[in-house]
Amino acid sequence: MTATAGPTGGTPHGPGRGLVRELLRTKPVDRIVAEGGQGEGGELRRSMSLLQLTLFSVGATLGTGIFVVLGEAVPKAGPAVVLAFVLAAVTALFSALSYAELAGTIPVSGSSYSYAYATLGELVAWVCGWCLLLEYAVSVSAVAVGWGSYLNEFFAKAFDVTMPAAISNSPGEGGGVLNLPAVAVVAIATFLLLRGTSESATANTIMVFLKIAVLLFFCAVAFTAFRGGNLTPFAPMGWAGISAAGSKVFFSYIGFDAASTAGEEARNPRRDLPLAIVLSLAIVTAVYVLVGLAAVGAMHWTRFELSGSEASLARVLDEATGRSWPSTVLSLGAVVAIASVVLTVMYGQTRILFAMSRDGLVPHVFQKVSPRRAVPVANTLIVAAFIAVLAAAVPLGRLVDATSIGTLFAFSLVSVGVIVLRRTRPDLPRSFRTPLYPVTPVLGVGFCVYLMVGLGGVTWTVFLLWTLVGLAAYALYGRRHSRLAPGNRKENR
């Protein structure tokens, strides 16, 4: 049985030991599951099917790397960017299998935050939740920035007009002052989320099918211009380039865990969550490899760096066909498709904050649920405002790297959590078991650390500073307001 919260004051061994026990207190799995769906003023509604959960994860993942990051990754690895996608996929797979086990065992909205709370203790759970702010809120901002590039591309192709650089680029990039299209797509996603979970899932399903159709259209056109000579030399920078590109394109796989944030709104969470996580990762990987191969086969890898545009797939079609209409179709599809990433990842962020608020670690406003709409309205509006500011004012490259390192850290904690929970609670019912245990979770940690090392020193500095700010926030607020704190337990029973 896992140890639950103990006294936080001094012990016969001194106050230091009491503090350690306080920071390592865990929340019992039974209690976490029992509180599922409960918020202040209302409850979340179970309405999501297996198809909707799978497409939620696909919607949160598919598009981020292909539409936005591919142009930055190809110059690092050359045609071997295809292997970089495979390397990132293997890393994601090990984490996905661990996610699948914990999602079926602890089917709640907190995702890896809740899993860490049940296995590794409150302080680690807080750090994990803090890192998820990077994975979700910051990645949405990065994608919103890329969305504006495709919107401008579509306007240019279809109407021969473009938005002024001052309002369509990020500050410091091409004369940008404030990225207003990024704010607009966040506002659209916010409107859908406030209408309700079922309505958001329906909108996402439509957008995901459109997204897949657009990417298949890209492949069909690009393969007509495929040249074997464009694939040589295949790995001009060797394994170092593949590894560096793998660290970059791992950003493409952020979001496959989105289904785990819907644990309290799934109809059959123990069965559907593990399936949705694994299925979504398989779909996304197949599409990424296919599109990546088509792109580098149709346009020489050195041209990606020269294009100078985040809308890299549109550039591929322009150069491959010499016509404007294919890239116009692609850009329009990307405008709609990338919006689904913003929608689903914003959803995940609000549900994680909902779980953290229910535990007392962040203010109560994040767990308030509208009785009529069955959604956390105030939570959604606060998250939307935060994301809109980041998207409008921060350059894309910095957002991508910061997001990747925070996500890799959270993923490694999930793998560790599987090992801990197998040892401390072997009696728990598990609808899915990670295969080849304990090799799989150990490899999951190893691959995550490997890709983290591949990120630059500046990224590590930002990550460490972010973690320090999070620890300060926990010390000033979370530790005192935690529902597991001795002074708060009675009032919360």
Side-chain angles (χ1 to χ4, degrees):
M1 195 80 174
T2 24
T4 56
T8 59
T11 69
H13 300 282
R17 182 173 176 83
L19 175 62
V20 171
R21 291 188 59 179
E22 178 182 342
L23 298 178
L24 296 180
R25 58 195 175 200
T26 59
K27 187 174 181 181
V29 173
D30 298 337
R31 178 173 170 182
I32 293 176
V33 175
E35 291 178 351
Q38 299 177 20
E40 186 175 309
E43 293 186 0
L44 302 179
R45 186 178 299 131
R46 294 195 177 276
S47 60
M48 297 182 70
S49 65
L50 173 60
L51 176 63
Q52 290 175 320
L53 288 169
T54 302
L55 294 184
F56 236 74
S57 285
V58 173
T61 312
L62 186 59
T64 308
I66 286 297
F67 285 112
V68 179
V69 182
L70 183 66
E72 296 185 17
V74 171
K76 295 179 182 293
V81 71
V82 175
L83 295 183
F85 275 113
V86 173
L87 173 62
V90 170
T91 303
L93 175 62
F94 288 127
S95 297
L97 293 173
S98 294
Y99 260 103
E101 175 168 330
L102 292 182
T105 308
I106 313 173
V108 294
S109 293
S111 186
S112 51
Y113 155 76
S114 294
Y115 309 153
Y117 211 165
T119 57
L120 303 174
E122 184 171 286
L123 179 62
V124 177
W126 168 267
V127 173
C128 183
W130 190 251
C131 288
L132 289 174
L133 287 176
L134 283 176
E135 177 185 352
Y136 285 87
V138 182
S139 70
V140 170
S141 304
V143 176
V145 172
W147 184 81
S149 296
Y150 276 97
L151 183 64
N152 228 4
E153 191 80 15
F154 172 70
F155 284 158
K157 298 291 184 183
F159 307 110
D160 198 26
V161 296
T162 58
M163 293 177 287
I167 64 169
S168 61
N169 293 339
S170 299
E173 295 186 352
V177 176
L178 201 64
N179 195 321
L180 293 185
V183 177
V185 71
V186 172
I188 293 170
T190 303
F191 171 76
L192 290 172
L193 289 173
L194 291 178
R195 287 183 60 84
T197 300
S198 179
E199 291 81 357
S200 298
T202 299
N204 174 69
T205 297
I206 295 171
M207 288 190 284
V208 168
F209 280 124
L210 174 61
K211 182 187 307 188
I212 293 175
V214 166
L215 290 174
L216 291 178
F217 165 78
F218 168 83
C219 291
V221 175
F223 274 123
T224 64
F226 191 92
R227 301 290 182 270
N230 287 341
L231 301 183
T232 57
F234 185 69
M237 271 69 76
W239 181 253
I242 296 172
S243 178
S247 298
K248 175 69 70 173
V249 303
F250 184 80
F251 180 80
S252 316
Y253 291 91
I254 293 171
F256 74 81
D257 56 324
S260 67
T261 66
E264 296 172 28
E265 291 163 283
R267 294 175 188 167
N268 191 350
R270 293 191 183 276
R271 184 200 68 180
D272 292 347
L273 292 181
L275 284 173
I277 291 170
V278 175
L279 285 173
S280 63
L281 182 59
I283 294 170
V284 166
T285 301
V287 173
Y288 279 168
V289 171
L290 184 64
V291 173
L293 180 62
V296 295
M299 186 170 79
H300 197 269
W301 68 273
T302 57
R303 297 286 301 164
F304 281 81
E305 191 169 21
L306 296 175
S307 68
S309 172
E310 289 156 0
S312 55
L313 294 191
R315 298 299 186 195
V316 170
L317 293 184
D318 281 343
E319 185 160 318
T321 66
R323 301 175 182 178
S324 61
W325 71 265
S327 61
T328 303
V329 173
L330 179 80
S331 297
L332 176 60
V335 166
V336 178
I338 293 179
S340 73
V341 178
V342 178
L343 172 67
T344 50
V345 179
M346 276 185 63
Y347 167 88
Q349 178 63 85
T350 60
R351 278 17 180 210
I352 289 169
L353 284 170
F354 175 83
M356 295 178 73
S357 177
R358 191 168 54 203
D359 293 332
L361 300 183
V362 298
H364 284 186
V365 66
F366 290 101
Q367 66 167 313
K368 290 183 178 180
V369 176
S370 166
R372 183 169 63 89
R373 299 180 181 178
V375 296
V377 174
N379 182 342
T380 303
L381 292 174
I382 293 171
V383 168
F386 176 73
I387 290 172
V389 170
L390 280 181
V394 181
L396 170 64
R398 298 181 185 275
L399 290 175
V400 171
D401 288 344
T403 303
S404 294
I405 195 169
T407 304
L408 287 164
F409 179 77
F411 283 6
S412 64
L413 290 182
V414 171
S415 296
V416 173
V418 168
I419 297 173
V420 172
L421 202 61
R422 286 278 190 105
R423 293 178 61 87
T424 58
R425 291 297 306 273
D427 58 305
L428 284 175
R430 290 169 168 83
S431 58
F432 178 88
R433 286 181 173 269
T434 302
L436 301 178
Y437 174 88
V439 175
T440 298
V442 169
L443 286 176
V445 175
F447 271 86
C448 286
V449 172
Y450 178 75
L451 289 185
M452 288 175 73
V453 171
L455 295 169
V458 174
T459 302
W460 273 95
T461 301
V462 171
F463 175 65
L464 292 175
L465 289 174
W466 178 264
T467 303
L468 289 175
V469 172
L471 291 174
Y474 173 73
L476 294 174
Y477 185 92
R479 180 187 168 202
R480 292 185 295 109
H481 292 84
S482 169
R483 292 184 63 189
L484 294 186
N488 299 332
R489 269 186 248 157
K490 289 184 180 179
E491 62 188 71
N492 291 308
R493 281 179 182 170

mmCIF file of all heavy atoms in Angstrom, residues 144-183:
data_model
loop_
_atom_site.group_PDB
_atom_site.id
_atom_site.type_symbol
_atom_site.label_atom_id
_atom_site.label_comp_id
_atom_site.label_asym_id
_atom_site.label_seq_id
_atom_site.Cartn_x
_atom_site.Cartn_y
_atom_site.Cartn_z
ATOM 1 N N ALA A 144 0.164 28.141 -32.524
ATOM 2 C CA ALA A 144 -0.603 29.311 -32.950
ATOM 3 C C ALA A 144 0.254 30.251 -33.787
ATOM 4 O O ALA A 144 -0.227 30.849 -34.759
ATOM 5 C CB ALA A 144 -1.158 30.051 -31.727
ATOM 6 N N VAL A 145 1.532 30.376 -33.444
ATOM 7 C CA VAL A 145 2.446 31.193 -34.232
ATOM 8 C C VAL A 145 2.566 30.624 -35.651
ATOM 9 O O VAL A 145 2.510 31.342 -36.650
ATOM 10 C CB VAL A 145 3.837 31.258 -33.561
ATOM 11 C CG1 VAL A 145 4.847 31.935 -34.478
ATOM 12 C CG2 VAL A 145 3.747 32.012 -32.241
ATOM 13 N N GLY A 146 2.728 29.299 -35.766
ATOM 14 C CA GLY A 146 2.815 28.667 -37.071
ATOM 15 C C GLY A 146 1.524 28.785 -37.867
ATOM 16 O O GLY A 146 1.546 28.874 -39.102
ATOM 17 N N TRP A 147 0.402 28.793 -37.180
ATOM 18 C CA TRP A 147 -0.895 28.933 -37.846
ATOM 19 C C TRP A 147 -0.963 30.239 -38.625
ATOM 20 O O TRP A 147 -1.455 30.285 -39.756
ATOM 21 C CB TRP A 147 -2.001 28.888 -36.792
ATOM 22 C CG TRP A 147 -3.400 28.925 -37.329
ATOM 23 C CD1 TRP A 147 -4.117 27.884 -37.832
ATOM 24 C CD2 TRP A 147 -4.272 30.065 -37.390
ATOM 25 N NE1 TRP A 147 -5.376 28.302 -38.199
ATOM 26 C CE2 TRP A 147 -5.497 29.637 -37.939
ATOM 27 C CE3 TRP A 147 -4.132 31.408 -37.031
ATOM 28 C CZ2 TRP A 147 -6.572 30.497 -38.134
ATOM 29 C CZ3 TRP A 147 -5.202 32.275 -37.225
ATOM 30 C CH2 TRP A 147 -6.406 31.810 -37.778
ATOM 31 N N GLY A 148 -0.427 31.301 -38.042
ATOM 32 C CA GLY A 148 -0.433 32.592 -38.716
ATOM 33 C C GLY A 148 0.348 32.574 -40.016
ATOM 34 O O GLY A 148 -0.021 33.250 -40.992
ATOM 35 N N SER A 149 1.434 31.787 -40.069
ATOM 36 C CA SER A 149 2.228 31.693 -41.299
ATOM 37 C C SER A 149 1.407 31.089 -42.432
ATOM 38 O O SER A 149 1.462 31.553 -43.576
ATOM 39 C CB SER A 149 3.480 30.840 -41.056
ATOM 40 O OG SER A 149 4.326 31.453 -40.114
ATOM 41 N N TYR A 150 0.660 30.045 -42.130
ATOM 42 C CA TYR A 150 -0.164 29.406 -43.160
ATOM 43 C C TYR A 150 -1.356 30.280 -43.544
ATOM 44 O O TYR A 150 -1.799 30.268 -44.693
ATOM 45 C CB TYR A 150 -0.622 28.030 -42.694
ATOM 46 C CG TYR A 150 0.416 26.969 -42.962
ATOM 47 C CD1 TYR A 150 1.292 26.559 -41.971
ATOM 48 C CD2 TYR A 150 0.541 26.400 -44.230
ATOM 49 C CE1 TYR A 150 2.259 25.603 -42.219
ATOM 50 C CE2 TYR A 150 1.504 25.448 -44.492
ATOM 51 C CZ TYR A 150 2.362 25.046 -43.486
ATOM 52 O OH TYR A 150 3.327 24.110 -43.745
ATOM 53 N N LEU A 151 -1.880 31.026 -42.596
ATOM 54 C CA LEU A 151 -2.980 31.940 -42.930
ATOM 55 C C LEU A 151 -2.496 32.987 -43.925
ATOM 56 O O LEU A 151 -3.178 33.295 -44.913
ATOM 57 C CB LEU A 151 -3.503 32.608 -41.651
ATOM 58 C CG LEU A 151 -4.708 33.535 -41.821
ATOM 59 C CD1 LEU A 151 -5.919 32.749 -42.311
ATOM 60 C CD2 LEU A 151 -5.022 34.249 -40.515
ATOM 61 N N ASN A 152 -1.309 33.545 -43.676
ATOM 62 C CA ASN A 152 -0.742 34.526 -44.590
ATOM 63 C C ASN A 152 -0.450 33.897 -45.952
ATOM 64 O O ASN A 152 -0.654 34.518 -47.002
ATOM 65 C CB ASN A 152 0.550 35.103 -44.000
ATOM 66 C CG ASN A 152 0.583 36.614 -44.076
ATOM 67 O OD1 ASN A 152 -0.378 37.255 -44.506
ATOM 68 N ND2 ASN A 152 1.690 37.193 -43.658
ATOM 69 N N GLU A 153 0.034 32.655 -45.941
ATOM 70 C CA GLU A 153 0.321 31.947 -47.174
ATOM 71 C C GLU A 153 -0.962 31.765 -47.993
ATOM 72 O O GLU A 153 -0.962 31.941 -49.216
ATOM 73 C CB GLU A 153 0.927 30.575 -46.844
ATOM 74 C CG GLU A 153 1.506 29.853 -48.033
ATOM 75 C CD GLU A 153 2.886 30.353 -48.422
ATOM 76 O OE1 GLU A 153 3.505 31.065 -47.605
ATOM 77 O OE2 GLU A 153 3.326 30.039 -49.537
ATOM 78 N N PHE A 154 -2.044 31.422 -47.322
ATOM 79 C CA PHE A 154 -3.314 31.232 -48.023
ATOM 80 C C PHE A 154 -3.818 32.551 -48.613
ATOM 81 O O PHE A 154 -4.266 32.604 -49.771
ATOM 82 C CB PHE A 154 -4.352 30.653 -47.068
ATOM 83 C CG PHE A 154 -5.741 30.613 -47.659
ATOM 84 C CD1 PHE A 154 -6.050 29.733 -48.688
ATOM 85 C CD2 PHE A 154 -6.725 31.470 -47.193
ATOM 86 C CE1 PHE A 154 -7.317 29.703 -49.251
ATOM 87 C CE2 PHE A 154 -7.997 31.448 -47.741
ATOM 88 C CZ PHE A 154 -8.294 30.554 -48.769
ATOM 89 N N PHE A 155 -3.748 33.626 -47.843
ATOM 90 C CA PHE A 155 -4.180 34.931 -48.350
ATOM 91 C C PHE A 155 -3.375 35.342 -49.584
ATOM 92 O O PHE A 155 -3.919 35.877 -50.549
ATOM 93 C CB PHE A 155 -4.026 36.005 -47.265
ATOM 94 C CG PHE A 155 -5.090 35.962 -46.205
ATOM 95 C CD1 PHE A 155 -4.873 36.528 -44.959
ATOM 96 C CD2 PHE A 155 -6.315 35.365 -46.441
ATOM 97 C CE1 PHE A 155 -5.850 36.495 -43.980
ATOM 98 C CE2 PHE A 155 -7.305 35.325 -45.475
ATOM 99 C CZ PHE A 155 -7.066 35.899 -44.241
ATOM 100 N N ALA A 156 -2.075 35.067 -49.536
ATOM 101 C CA ALA A 156 -1.212 35.449 -50.645
ATOM 102 C C ALA A 156 -1.564 34.672 -51.906
ATOM 103 O O ALA A 156 -1.610 35.234 -53.016
ATOM 104 C CB ALA A 156 0.251 35.225 -50.282
ATOM 105 N N LYS A 157 -1.815 33.351 -51.744
ATOM 106 C CA LYS A 157 -2.112 32.514 -52.912
ATOM 107 C C LYS A 157 -3.513 32.756 -53.458
ATOM 108 O O LYS A 157 -3.729 32.812 -54.667
ATOM 109 C CB LYS A 157 -1.975 31.035 -52.529
ATOM 110 C CG LYS A 157 -0.577 30.632 -52.074
ATOM 111 C CD LYS A 157 0.413 30.667 -53.210
ATOM 112 C CE LYS A 157 1.765 30.176 -52.768
ATOM 113 N NZ LYS A 157 2.783 30.270 -53.842
ATOM 114 N N ALA A 158 -4.478 32.881 -52.561
ATOM 115 C CA ALA A 158 -5.871 32.957 -52.998
ATOM 116 C C ALA A 158 -6.307 34.363 -53.391
ATOM 117 O O ALA A 158 -7.102 34.535 -54.330
ATOM 118 C CB ALA A 158 -6.786 32.418 -51.895
ATOM 119 N N PHE A 159 -5.797 35.375 -52.690
ATOM 120 C CA PHE A 159 -6.298 36.740 -52.912
ATOM 121 C C PHE A 159 -5.201 37.742 -53.281
ATOM 122 O O PHE A 159 -5.486 38.926 -53.456
ATOM 123 C CB PHE A 159 -7.036 37.232 -51.658
ATOM 124 C CG PHE A 159 -8.103 36.296 -51.173
ATOM 125 C CD1 PHE A 159 -7.941 35.597 -49.983
ATOM 126 C CD2 PHE A 159 -9.258 36.093 -51.917
ATOM 127 C CE1 PHE A 159 -8.920 34.721 -49.531
ATOM 128 C CE2 PHE A 159 -10.243 35.225 -51.473
ATOM 129 C CZ PHE A 159 -10.076 34.526 -50.277
ATOM 130 N N ASP A 160 -3.946 37.234 -53.313
ATOM 131 C CA ASP A 160 -2.808 38.091 -53.653
ATOM 132 C C ASP A 160 -2.652 39.254 -52.680
ATOM 133 O O ASP A 160 -2.272 40.368 -53.063
ATOM 134 C CB ASP A 160 -2.937 38.631 -55.084
ATOM 135 C CG ASP A 160 -1.596 39.150 -55.617
ATOM 136 O OD1 ASP A 160 -0.550 38.662 -55.139
ATOM 137 O OD2 ASP A 160 -1.609 40.039 -56.475
ATOM 138 N N VAL A 161 -2.998 39.009 -51.437
ATOM 139 C CA VAL A 161 -2.785 40.010 -50.383
ATOM 140 C C VAL A 161 -2.161 39.305 -49.181
ATOM 141 O O VAL A 161 -2.350 38.099 -48.989
ATOM 142 C CB VAL A 161 -4.095 40.697 -49.947
ATOM 143 C CG1 VAL A 161 -4.694 41.484 -51.090
ATOM 144 C CG2 VAL A 161 -5.089 39.678 -49.414
ATOM 145 N N THR A 162 -1.420 40.056 -48.409
ATOM 146 C CA THR A 162 -0.829 39.509 -47.177
ATOM 147 C C THR A 162 -1.025 40.501 -46.046
ATOM 148 O O THR A 162 -1.171 41.705 -46.273
ATOM 149 C CB THR A 162 0.679 39.224 -47.334
ATOM 150 O OG1 THR A 162 1.346 40.439 -47.709
ATOM 151 C CG2 THR A 162 0.932 38.151 -48.379
ATOM 152 N N MET A 163 -1.054 39.971 -44.857
ATOM 153 C CA MET A 163 -1.141 40.836 -43.690
ATOM 154 C C MET A 163 0.201 41.514 -43.452
ATOM 155 O O MET A 163 1.253 40.941 -43.754
ATOM 156 C CB MET A 163 -1.533 40.003 -42.457
ATOM 157 C CG MET A 163 -2.926 39.433 -42.514
ATOM 158 S SD MET A 163 -3.291 38.376 -41.067
ATOM 159 C CE MET A 163 -2.291 36.932 -41.466
ATOM 160 N N PRO A 164 0.209 42.713 -42.917
ATOM 161 C CA PRO A 164 1.474 43.387 -42.612
ATOM 162 C C PRO A 164 2.319 42.551 -41.646
ATOM 163 O O PRO A 164 1.791 41.907 -40.733
ATOM 164 C CB PRO A 164 1.031 44.699 -41.963
ATOM 165 C CG PRO A 164 -0.369 44.904 -42.436
ATOM 166 C CD PRO A 164 -0.959 43.540 -42.596
ATOM 167 N N ALA A 165 3.621 42.564 -41.850
ATOM 168 C CA ALA A 165 4.520 41.781 -40.996
ATOM 169 C C ALA A 165 4.394 42.181 -39.538
ATOM 170 O O ALA A 165 4.570 41.352 -38.640
ATOM 171 C CB ALA A 165 5.963 41.954 -41.473
ATOM 172 N N ALA A 166 4.084 43.426 -39.276
ATOM 173 C CA ALA A 166 4.013 43.909 -37.895
ATOM 174 C C ALA A 166 2.961 43.180 -37.082
ATOM 175 O O ALA A 166 3.117 42.994 -35.866
ATOM 176 C CB ALA A 166 3.722 45.410 -37.882
ATOM 177 N N ILE A 167 1.877 42.729 -37.751
ATOM 178 C CA ILE A 167 0.806 42.056 -37.005
ATOM 179 C C ILE A 167 0.712 40.566 -37.300
ATOM 180 O O ILE A 167 -0.119 39.864 -36.714
ATOM 181 C CB ILE A 167 -0.566 42.699 -37.301
ATOM 182 C CG1 ILE A 167 -0.941 42.515 -38.772
ATOM 183 C CG2 ILE A 167 -0.558 44.159 -36.891
ATOM 184 C CD1 ILE A 167 -2.380 42.884 -39.085
ATOM 185 N N SER A 168 1.558 40.043 -38.204
ATOM 186 C CA SER A 168 1.481 38.626 -38.549
ATOM 187 C C SER A 168 2.712 37.834 -38.151
ATOM 188 O O SER A 168 2.700 36.600 -38.213
ATOM 189 C CB SER A 168 1.248 38.457 -40.057
ATOM 190 O OG SER A 168 2.315 39.014 -40.803
ATOM 191 N N ASN A 169 3.783 38.509 -37.731
ATOM 192 C CA ASN A 169 4.998 37.832 -37.269
ATOM 193 C C ASN A 169 5.225 38.092 -35.799
ATOM 194 O O ASN A 169 4.737 39.081 -35.235
ATOM 195 C CB ASN A 169 6.219 38.310 -38.064
ATOM 196 C CG ASN A 169 6.177 37.881 -39.510
ATOM 197 O OD1 ASN A 169 5.486 36.933 -39.866
ATOM 198 N ND2 ASN A 169 6.904 38.590 -40.366
ATOM 199 N N SER A 170 6.007 37.197 -35.182
ATOM 200 C CA SER A 170 6.351 37.377 -33.776
ATOM 201 C C SER A 170 7.380 38.495 -33.630
ATOM 202 O O SER A 170 8.132 38.780 -34.568
ATOM 203 C CB SER A 170 6.929 36.077 -33.201
ATOM 204 O OG SER A 170 5.979 35.043 -33.275
ATOM 205 N N PRO A 171 7.436 39.147 -32.476
ATOM 206 C CA PRO A 171 8.423 40.212 -32.267
ATOM 207 C C PRO A 171 9.839 39.721 -32.546
ATOM 208 O O PRO A 171 10.230 38.637 -32.130
ATOM 209 C CB PRO A 171 8.243 40.552 -30.779
ATOM 210 C CG PRO A 171 6.830 40.183 -30.483
ATOM 211 C CD PRO A 171 6.556 38.968 -31.314
ATOM 212 N N GLY A 172 10.596 40.525 -33.282
ATOM 213 C CA GLY A 172 11.977 40.160 -33.578
ATOM 214 C C GLY A 172 12.132 39.257 -34.779
ATOM 215 O O GLY A 172 13.251 38.897 -35.142
ATOM 216 N N GLU A 173 11.037 38.871 -35.421
ATOM 217 C CA GLU A 173 11.103 37.984 -36.591
ATOM 218 C C GLU A 173 10.433 38.668 -37.780
ATOM 219 O O GLU A 173 9.210 38.810 -37.819
ATOM 220 C CB GLU A 173 10.420 36.648 -36.304
ATOM 221 C CG GLU A 173 11.124 35.832 -35.228
ATOM 222 C CD GLU A 173 10.511 34.448 -35.053
ATOM 223 O OE1 GLU A 173 9.454 34.174 -35.645
ATOM 224 O OE2 GLU A 173 11.101 33.643 -34.311
ATOM 225 N N GLY A 174 11.238 39.106 -38.738
ATOM 226 C CA GLY A 174 10.709 39.694 -39.972
ATOM 227 C C GLY A 174 9.895 40.950 -39.744
ATOM 228 O O GLY A 174 8.879 41.152 -40.410
ATOM 229 N N GLY A 175 10.307 41.784 -38.812
ATOM 230 C CA GLY A 175 9.615 43.036 -38.571
ATOM 231 C C GLY A 175 8.347 42.898 -37.752
ATOM 232 O O GLY A 175 7.531 43.829 -37.691
ATOM 233 N N GLY A 176 8.166 41.764 -37.109
ATOM 234 C CA GLY A 176 6.968 41.545 -36.318
ATOM 235 C C GLY A 176 6.921 42.376 -35.048
ATOM 236 O O GLY A 176 7.957 42.627 -34.417
ATOM 237 N N VAL A 177 5.728 42.793 -34.685
ATOM 238 C CA VAL A 177 5.508 43.536 -33.433
ATOM 239 C C VAL A 177 4.556 42.766 -32.528
ATOM 240 O O VAL A 177 4.824 42.570 -31.347
ATOM 241 C CB VAL A 177 4.934 44.941 -33.717
ATOM 242 C CG1 VAL A 177 4.630 45.663 -32.397
ATOM 243 C CG2 VAL A 177 5.899 45.750 -34.567
ATOM 244 N N LEU A 178 3.450 42.301 -33.090
ATOM 245 C CA LEU A 178 2.455 41.553 -32.320
ATOM 246 C C LEU A 178 1.752 40.579 -33.262
ATOM 247 O O LEU A 178 1.213 40.987 -34.287
ATOM 248 C CB LEU A 178 1.431 42.505 -31.702
ATOM 249 C CG LEU A 178 0.641 42.002 -30.502
ATOM 250 C CD1 LEU A 178 1.564 41.738 -29.311
ATOM 251 C CD2 LEU A 178 -0.439 42.992 -30.115
ATOM 252 N N ASN A 179 1.755 39.284 -32.929
ATOM 253 C CA ASN A 179 1.198 38.250 -33.801
ATOM 254 C C ASN A 179 -0.303 38.116 -33.536
ATOM 255 O O ASN A 179 -0.745 37.313 -32.714
ATOM 256 C CB ASN A 179 1.905 36.919 -33.555
ATOM 257 C CG ASN A 179 1.628 35.914 -34.648
ATOM 258 O OD1 ASN A 179 0.520 35.816 -35.158
ATOM 259 N ND2 ASN A 179 2.646 35.142 -35.012
ATOM 260 N N LEU A 180 -1.098 38.879 -34.274
ATOM 261 C CA LEU A 180 -2.544 38.882 -34.053
ATOM 262 C C LEU A 180 -3.242 37.619 -34.561
ATOM 263 O O LEU A 180 -4.221 37.174 -33.941
ATOM 264 C CB LEU A 180 -3.165 40.126 -34.697
ATOM 265 C CG LEU A 180 -2.769 41.471 -34.063
ATOM 266 C CD1 LEU A 180 -3.542 42.613 -34.705
ATOM 267 C CD2 LEU A 180 -3.009 41.450 -32.557
ATOM 268 N N PRO A 181 -2.822 37.009 -35.677
ATOM 269 C CA PRO A 181 -3.467 35.750 -36.078
ATOM 270 C C PRO A 181 -3.360 34.671 -35.000
ATOM 271 O O PRO A 181 -4.295 33.878 -34.831
ATOM 272 C CB PRO A 181 -2.697 35.345 -37.344
ATOM 273 C CG PRO A 181 -2.200 36.621 -37.905
ATOM 274 C CD PRO A 181 -1.867 37.460 -36.709
ATOM 275 N N ALA A 182 -2.239 34.633 -34.280
ATOM 276 C CA ALA A 182 -2.084 33.652 -33.207
ATOM 277 C C ALA A 182 -3.126 33.878 -32.121
ATOM 278 O O ALA A 182 -3.689 32.927 -31.563
ATOM 279 C CB ALA A 182 -0.677 33.739 -32.620
ATOM 280 N N VAL A 183 -3.399 35.138 -31.831
ATOM 281 C CA VAL A 183 -4.428 35.461 -30.836
ATOM 282 C C VAL A 183 -5.801 35.040 -31.353
ATOM 283 O O VAL A 183 -6.646 34.530 -30.595
ATOM 284 C CB VAL A 183 -4.404 36.963 -30.511
ATOM 285 C CG1 VAL A 183 -5.529 37.328 -29.537
ATOM 286 C CG2 VAL A 183 -3.058 37.376 -29.935
#
